[in-house]
Every structure is written in structure tokens, then in C-alpha cells.
Amino acid sequence: MMRKSRRRFLFAGVLLGGSAYFGYRFLSKRDRLAKPASFKLNENELALNGWFKITPDNTVTVMAPRQEMGQGIYTALAMLVAEELDADWSKVKVEQAPIEKMYANITMLTDGLPFDDEDKSYAASVARRMGYSLGDTLGVQATGGSTSVRDGWESMRIAGASAREMLIAAAAKKWQVPASECATSNGFVSHQASGKQASYGELASAAAQLPPPTEPKLKDPKNYVLIGKSQRRLDIPAKVTGEAVFGLDVRVPDMVYAAIAQCPVFGGTLKSIDEAKIKSMPGVERVVSLPNAVAVVADSYWRAKTALAALPIVWEESANATLDSAAIAEQFKRDMETGEAGTYRNQGDTAAELGRAAKIIEAQYQAPFLAHATMEPMNCTARVANGGCEVWTSNQAPSLVQWMAGKTAGVETEKVVVHTPYLGGGFGRRAEMDAVVQAVTVAKELNGRAVKLVWSREEDTQHDMYRPAAMAKFRAALDGDGKPTAWWNRIVGPSVTLSFMERLAPWAASDMMQDKTNAEGAADLRYEIANVKVEHVLSRTPIPVGFWRSVGHSYNAFFKECFIDELAHGAGKDPYEFRRSLLQQHPRHRKVLETVAEKARWGTPLEKGMGRGIALHESFRSIVAQVAEVAVSDDGEVHVKRVVCVIDCGPTVNPDTILAQMESGIIFGLSAALFGEITIKNGRVEQGNFPTYDMVRLAETPVIETHIIDSSAALGGVGEPGTPPIAPAVANAIFAATGKRIRELPIRSAAIRAAEPTKA
């Protein structure tokens, strides 16, 4: 407690000192509307600012500052510009933005600060201002944290509105009429009194000579033509025809291929190889040794992979060769009881209330390590030549790719060119730089030739940066009316942010500042309980952990929503009504909960052997509730039949994308709940390909119904919030069907068969 208080004091001091140093410098709106030096214009293209280009035929090409990995942000971000620009949507295209500070994702950085979104304290306010300033200074372009549309919401609408006013000004000057008499629609400026009309393409050249207004008038939402209405996805046609280029599709002249094998034991290194054994194999060109891996280069990936399989390799396995999952679980249990806990929320006097409570409810839960299992395995194409470096890779952070590739190649960052094709799945995995470092390291040995490094599915599964395993313990007090009066929650597990920074920039890795991801979804408890204490014990393991879709919310939602269900049962109350009674001061949350209960027909009879479970969770500034209808057979087999989902993410941009992301998040989370588990034996990951790391197939996918509440709240994210509630909704449904509690993931039929029904 004292150590954490001291850390918070020091953190506040750093913020205040830093604010004086940076002078609260923000990227000005004029800077945001500039045309960066790297903004390349093709023939006939004109730019009014750095966010889009126009051609004479009225085509508008929007520069997307984030990466498209199936979440629909190319379309949503283009809609923001096109709406305020009054562009012709049928002529809108998207291009990946270059690496420039003006495209930095500042929202993602500020979201990571260790403050609740509802925290309006002075320290939180200063931290957020400093976060914006730091984001401006660092200029990190990254996609994650469900921030893409939130970060672009203001800047991209302003860019469209500013350009619209410039086009109007150009038309008014040309026609010698007041600008106030001109109007825009569908890519044209018109003057009703004279009947004159000109396309944006015709006016762009003159408009580009005018200074961009930095305070343009934004549309009243009631006048939106695109925003709030489902629009066609701009990336879909190319994906259907096969024209879309993913990382694995990249082809470069005179390119060779590399297959890689990494030490199977965490922390192990390469000891020796017998290169002579494969030198004569067809197509083999070179073997490149890395500190903990070996790559075989050949004229095709298959030949490289075949030669790699035949290469005699000896590994130095490290002290972790005896590590297994059982030992990690025991470590978590010890740390739960004796580890040093950092306090993430301390409201009221929880210990005193628990000491005098009439009824105490206790429970302990755990969740395993999880792999990302993206459909496109990790890969990177790189070339090092002529004092520069060029990289083609599906990634979530092009500015980090540029920096790390330059560092590895030994060239200046500015001499690294990064190409970002479509991502065949990301979920946080493609924010990591391991494949980039490997590909550039191999490319340095190839005298200017490009090399495409491809990981096998087994390498991808066994050398991931995993979702942390975690354990949580709860203790709560109920009064005579069954109302909770105290809530204590301790979570144990590794830190994602600390692990990520140790890989990316070890000199900056520190536990001085609390890692928000450790307790997100737990410390920001919205149920109204007078006394709340939430703690986290940092329990390090040799297993590298990273950002995984919804990060800490992915397990804390399971822990928290299962335990609130246990409290409802202990109080003898309906799980829905119990939750609703604790949300009197949170009308948005209550409305989402009430809506999902209504749409799911909560309380109506189900067939024998079936149950309904409910869960409510806020993440990334969006509120999601889900009801799962689950059938449980006599032998414990679980079949999820129907999921009803309700989301309030503030203003709705593209409803079709929201529906798709809720469905995607539910299936992703359901796969983890039913099958997902990375286990360790002899310091190695036991799972390899999909037969041993399974996921929900089409035949197992439930009927999913999604309902959107379009509210006036601040904009929330949609890429991740659909994932956290599904595991607890299913677990609570199993209890409703069987009377047996699920406190460990993944859900196993054997565990259901062995469990005893829970008594009130």
C-alpha cells in the first residue's frame, strides 16, 4: 500500500514536471490540416489537406491513419471525411496514410493511463493533457484499443468540413457570389439563384491555393447523410475478387523465402547446427543463425521449410525446461495469499464492512494463457540495400516497424520504407516486432535481395505473445436484504504492458506506473457498492504476454460477472434484477441491461436442460450486455444456441460494422471460453496447429442477435467490447441449467460432470 501510494505521488510529480517541460504542447488544428512532406500525389491528384486527395473525375481518396484487419475502419474513417465533405460515396476510396506525426493515435496512449474513464480528478486531468502532448511528441501510429474511429472522430471530420468550406470559397470566387449562397451535395458545389454548379474535381485546384479554415462548422447530426446509416465496406470487393494484398501475398522481384525455427523452450538459445546436412538440398541458398532461432533461405517457401525440417539443430534450453502449467498455477496461488498487492481502487472501508457482515460470499476463478491464432500467420518481407531498408508486413504499428527495422538494419529511421498491406487478423499480435526483427536480420545477409520470412502455424502458436493467464479471488458482504455492502477483489497475473515494453524498449520498462490492463474491467466496477477494494499482484513468469483482443477485460469480465451472479444467487434474487438494482446511478448501463433482458425474453421458459445467463460489461467506453441461451447434455457437453447482444457505443457511425464486430467478438470470445488454452510442459507450449488449439466452427456458432442503442454519450469503441461478456454469460447460463458453477476456463464437460450443485 505504502509503496503504491509513493508510486502514485511520484507519477503525479513526473506529470507536473513534464507538463512544464512540454508546455502542454498539442498538435495544433492547423498542423492537423497540413500536407505532410511524405504525402505523395499521383498525376491529376490534388490535396486540400493531409487527409484526402481529389482527382478531376471527382474521386476522393481518404488517407487511413490506421490499419485494416477486418474491423471495418477503412470504411468508418472514410465516412467521417466524406460526411463533412459532402462527397459522392460511390467515388470514395481509401489509401494507407504515410508515417507522419499528424496521423499519431493519441487516444490509444491516453486510454492507457492508470485512471478510470470516470475519474475527473486533477491528477487524471493533468495526466490526460500530458498524454496528448506526449502523443504529439512521439507520433506513434498504431491500431488497437478500439480507438481508430474515436481518435479520428474530430480530426477527420474537421478535415472534411475544412475542405468543404475551401471548395465553397473557390466556387464563390469563381462565380462572384457570396459563399453563404452556395451549398454542397454529393461532390458538387451549387448556387441555386444562378443555377451554377461545379464538381469538387473542377474546383480542387483553386481551392488548394486557399488557407484551410481551422474552425469549420461541423454538421448537425440530424443532417448526416452517411454517418449512422449502414454503408458498403470499401475493402470487401477487393477481398472477394482476390485483388486485396495481405502480407503473405507480397511479391518482390528477385525475392527469396525463409522458414524459421525458434527454440521451443522459453528463454532458450541456439547452440549449434549442422548446415552441411542440407547444403545440397534443392533451392537452398543460405542458413542464417539468430540468437534464439535459425532461418533457412531458399527459392521457395516449401523448399525452405523442407530443408529446415531436415536441419540438425541443437538448442540450449535454459532453466525454463522444467516449467509447466501446474507450477505456474501454484505460483499464482501463493502470490494470491502472500504477494505484494498494488491497490487499483479503494473506496470506503471494505475490511471493516466484511468484518461485521451477516453473510459473506467467496469465490476464486482462473483463466489460462491464450494465443492470438490469427488466420494469417506471422510474416514479413524485408530488403536491406543502398544504405536503406524496405519492409512489407501486415502490422498494427507502422511507426514502430520503421523504428525497429532501422535499428536492426543499422540505418537511420528516415531511410526505412514501410508498406502495410491488409492484415489477416491482428488482435494485438501484430503490434509485436519479432517477425520484423527476424526478417531484417536475415535480409542483411542477402546482399540487397528481398526475403519473405514466413512462420509455420506451429511456430505461430508456440511462439506467440500470449494473453496472460490470471487468477482472481473475491469476497463480498450481503446485508439482511441481500444487498452487497462490500466487495473485495484480488487479481494475480503478469503485466502485459511491462512485458511488451521489455521487448520493445527495455530501458523504458518499469513497474513504477501501474499497468491499467491488470485491473481494467475490475477496478472500474460500475455496480453501486459502498465499499470496494480491487488489488493486483504482479506475478512474473517466463511466458511472454501481449495485448489480446480486449486485454484485461477478457478475463476480468469473466471473473466479475460470474461473481456478481453468485451474489445474486446468495441473495436469493434474479440475476438480472439483482444487477439492475445496483445501477440506479448509471442510466446508460441500466438501459443496456434492460434492453438485453427484453430482447432475450428474460424469464420466459426454456426447454429442459437449457439455461439463460446474463452479463454486463463496459470496455473501451462502450457498454455491452449479452444473454446466452445454453443447452447442457447429461454428460456435460455445452451447446450455445443463441446469444442476444446489446451495445451502447455512443454515436453510431456504420451500424453494419458494429453488428459485424459484435458477432466477431462473440465468436472470438466463445472460442476462448469453450476451447482456448495454452498449456506448458517442459518449458514448451503443448499446442501446435488448430487440432490442438481449436475454435468455434460454423456448425457450432450460435444464432447471434445484436441491438444498437444510439446514444448521445461520448464515442466508444466496437472492435473489442463484444468479447468480454460472452464467457460469463455462457458460464452463468450453465449454472441456470445445471446449478453448477464454472470458475475456470476453458469450460470442460468433465468439470461440469464432476461439479456439485451450488447451494444458496
Side-chain angles (χ1 to χ4, degrees):
M1 284 288 294
M2 290 298 293
R3 191 160 73 95
K4 287 295 180 181
S5 298
R6 180 172 177 272
R7 286 181 184 179
R8 194 172 183 86
F9 173 78
L10 289 171
F11 177 54
V14 169
L15 289 174
L16 291 170
S19 66
Y21 177 79
F22 285 110
Y24 286 145
R25 191 177 76 81
F26 297 96
L27 199 64
S28 72
K29 288 182 179 177
R30 187 168 297 280
D31 291 335
R32 283 281 189 184
L33 292 172
K35 287 171 276 193
S38 60
F39 196 79
K40 292 182 173 57
L41 295 172
N42 297 321
E43 189 178 358
N44 295 326
E45 289 182 332
L46 286 163
L48 276 62
N49 55 54
W51 294 97
F52 69 94
K53 303 180 287 189
I54 301 178
T55 54
D57 68 354
N58 239 20
T59 297
V60 171
T61 302
V62 175
M63 309 309 292
R66 307 291 165 254
Q67 288 66 57
E68 179 63 70
M69 48 187 163
Q71 79 278 44
I73 53 98
Y74 269 13
T75 305
L77 294 176
M79 287 172 66
L80 302 183
V81 172
E83 179 66 75
E84 295 292 348
L85 182 63
D86 271 339
D88 179 350
W89 184 247
S90 69
K91 293 193 171 185
V92 173
K93 301 194 300 185
V94 179
E95 210 174 273
Q96 188 70 49
I99 298 174
E100 286 285 349
K101 283 188 176 183
M102 67 176 286
Y103 303 122
N105 189 340
I106 297 174
T107 301
M108 188 169 71
L109 191 148
T110 56
D111 273 8
L113 295 171
F115 296 96
D116 187 347
D117 293 340
E118 293 187 353
D119 189 341
K120 303 298 189 290
S121 67
Y122 176 68
S125 175
V126 171
R128 291 181 186 118
R129 288 179 66 82
M130 276 301 301
Y132 276 101
S133 185
L134 186 60
D136 167 12
T137 302
L138 296 177
V140 176
Q141 276 171 257
T143 303
S146 298
T147 58
S148 294
V149 177
R150 286 194 285 144
D151 190 72
W153 176 249
E154 181 179 272
S155 57
M156 297 188 78
R157 286 188 304 138
I158 288 173
S162 176
R164 176 171 47 82
E165 291 188 7
M166 293 166 71
L167 290 161
I168 288 174
K173 184 177 180 181
K174 178 181 179 180
W175 300 329
Q176 296 296 298
V177 298
S180 60
E181 294 181 5
C182 297
T184 57
S185 177
N186 213 34
F188 285 84
V189 180
S190 59
H191 183 246
Q192 187 174 5
S194 65
K196 292 179 179 179
Q197 179 176 275
S199 72
Y200 290 174
E202 295 174 70
L203 297 168
S205 181
Q209 309 307 312
L210 302 174
T214 57
E215 299 289 344
K217 184 179 179 181
L218 297 174
K219 283 186 179 180
D220 187 315
K222 68 183 180 185
N223 296 323
Y224 284 161
V225 175
L226 299 172
I227 293 176
K229 302 173 179 64
S230 291
Q231 306 298 332
R232 62 180 178 87
R233 282 271 296 268
L234 300 179
D235 56 318
I236 295 300
K239 291 177 178 177
V240 171
T241 62
E243 296 172 86
V245 175
F246 293 81
L248 282 172
D249 298 322
V250 170
R251 297 289 185 274
V252 177
D254 197 30
M255 182 177 76
V256 290
Y257 297 79
I260 193 165
Q262 299 162 89
C263 184
V265 175
F266 292 106
T269 57
L270 178 64
K271 186 174 183 180
S272 66
I273 56 174
D274 187 355
E275 187 177 343
K277 295 287 187 182
I278 65 166
K279 268 195 168 182
S280 61
M281 291 184 69
V284 173
E285 300 200 8
R286 187 181 291 266
V287 177
V288 180
S289 296
L290 292 85
N292 67 336
V294 58
V296 174
V297 180
D299 59 1
S300 75
Y301 174 67
W302 181 250
R303 285 178 163 178
K305 186 175 184 296
T306 302
L308 180 64
L311 178 66
I313 306 172
V314 179
W315 302 107
E316 192 69 61
E317 293 190 343
S318 86
N320 297 325
T322 59
L323 183 70
D324 62 25
S325 293
I328 294 172
E330 287 302 313
Q331 175 185 314
F332 284 3
K333 289 175 184 176
R334 288 194 305 272
D335 287 345
M336 179 69 74
E337 303 304 322
T338 62
E340 182 183 6
T343 303
Y344 281 71
R345 180 171 174 181
N346 195 4
Q347 169 188 310
D349 194 338
T350 305
E353 185 62 29
L354 287 169
R356 59 175 171 258
K359 186 172 186 177
I360 300 289
I361 306 290
E362 296 184 67
Q364 186 161 303
Y365 305 85
Q366 67 184 72
F369 291 105
L370 293 175
H372 293 81
T374 60
M375 288 296 100
E376 179 189 14
M378 298 301 290
N379 65 88
C380 178
T381 301
R383 175 168 52 206
V384 179
N386 303 318
C389 178
E390 197 165 6
V391 175
W392 297 260
T393 184
S394 305
N395 72 88
Q396 290 178 242
S399 55
L400 295 184
V401 171
Q402 186 184 47
W403 173 58
M404 191 60 77
K407 181 181 175 182
T408 306
V411 304
E412 295 176 9
T413 302
E414 294 73 20
K415 293 185 178 180
V416 178
V417 178
V418 178
H419 306 274
T420 301
Y422 284 116
L423 284 65
F427 316 124
R429 180 62 177 95
R430 286 191 154 87
E432 301 286 349
M433 298 293 115
D434 45 351
V436 173
V437 171
Q438 292 170 348
V440 173
T441 301
V442 174
K444 286 169 65 178
E445 304 294 319
L446 299 179
N447 301 316
R449 296 181 73 186
V451 60
K452 177 189 282 189
L453 174 76
V454 179
W455 288 25
S456 68
R457 176 62 63 188
E458 288 75 14
E459 287 292 315
D460 196 73
T461 303
Q462 294 171 348
H463 296 279
D464 203 343
M465 310 302 175
Y466 303 93
R467 197 287 303 271
M471 189 174 286
K473 191 171 186 177
F474 292 85
R475 190 176 297 122
L478 296 176
D479 65 15
D481 295 325
K483 181 180 179 180
T485 59
W487 174 285
W488 174 83
N489 174 204
R490 177 175 288 179
I491 309 149
V492 175
S495 162
V496 167
T497 303
L498 182 59
S499 183
F500 177 76
M501 290 306 296
E502 286 174 341
R503 292 188 294 274
L504 184 69
W507 49 270
S510 170
D511 63 350
M512 176 65 72
M513 188 171 72
Q514 289 181 332
D515 180 1
K516 186 178 182 178
T517 66
N518 292 339
E520 60 184 1
D524 47 351
L525 182 74
R526 301 302 182 220
Y527 296 120
E528 293 146 13
I529 302 171
N531 304 282
V532 177
K533 189 171 186 178
V534 178
E535 305 171 314
H536 183 273
V537 178
L538 178 61
S539 190
R540 294 172 177 266
T541 78
I543 316 302
V545 294
F547 299 99
W548 188 92
R549 192 175 191 172
S550 77
V551 204
H553 292 285
S554 67
Y555 49 82
N556 284 322
F558 170 68
F559 301 154
K560 179 257 298 180
E561 283 299 299
C562 285
F563 187 63
I564 202 76
D565 227 63
E566 297 210 37
L567 293 190
H569 181 68
K573 297 185 178 181
D574 175 82
Y576 157 63
E577 294 293 351
F578 185 75
R579 286 172 170 82
R580 186 174 178 275
S581 71
L582 299 175
L583 294 169
Q584 298 310 301
Q585 305 304 315
H586 289 80
R588 282 184 69 206
H589 295 74
R590 193 170 67 249
K591 183 175 181 180
V592 171
L593 184 72
E594 291 170 345
T595 304
V596 81
E598 175 195 344
K599 299 298 183 181
R601 302 186 298 277
W602 185 267
T604 59
L606 288 170
E607 296 177 16
K608 184 181 178 182
M610 289 189 67
R612 281 194 191 95
I614 194 168
L616 172 73
H617 193 74
E618 178 185 348
S619 62
F620 309 97
R621 306 203 178 193
S622 292
I623 304 164
V624 177
Q626 292 170 6
V627 169
E629 292 182 359
V630 175
V632 185
S633 67
D634 292 339
D635 62 358
E637 292 294 328
V638 174
H639 301 277
V640 182
K641 300 292 188 179
R642 176 179 179 235
V643 176
V644 179
C645 175
V646 173
I647 178 172
D648 178 350
C649 58
T652 299
V653 177
N654 190 355
D656 182 64
T657 292
I658 297 173
L659 297 178
Q661 283 302 290
M662 290 303 103
E663 292 167 358
S664 167
I666 287 167
I667 294 171
F668 193 83
L670 190 58
S671 292
L674 298 179
F675 307 115
E677 184 178 32
I678 290 294
T679 56
I680 311 299
K681 185 177 181 181
N682 298 326
R684 298 160 164 81
V685 169
E686 293 189 277
Q687 291 71 29
N689 213 313
F690 288 124
T692 51
Y693 193 80
D694 210 350
M695 49 190 61
V696 169
R697 313 296 176 91
L698 183 61
E700 299 158 331
T701 302
V703 172
I704 301 174
E705 304 169 20
T706 300
H707 305 272
I708 302 168
I709 296 175
D710 193 356
S711 76
S712 59
L715 193 69
V718 300
E720 295 166 276
T723 295
I726 186 61
V730 170
N732 293 336
I734 292 171
F735 174 77
T738 66
K740 299 179 179 183
R741 285 290 175 193
I742 300 298
R743 297 191 179 101
E744 182 178 346
L745 295 177
I747 298 166
R748 295 182 176 88
S749 57
I752 296 174
R753 290 195 303 269
E756 293 293 329
T758 302
K759 297 178 181 179

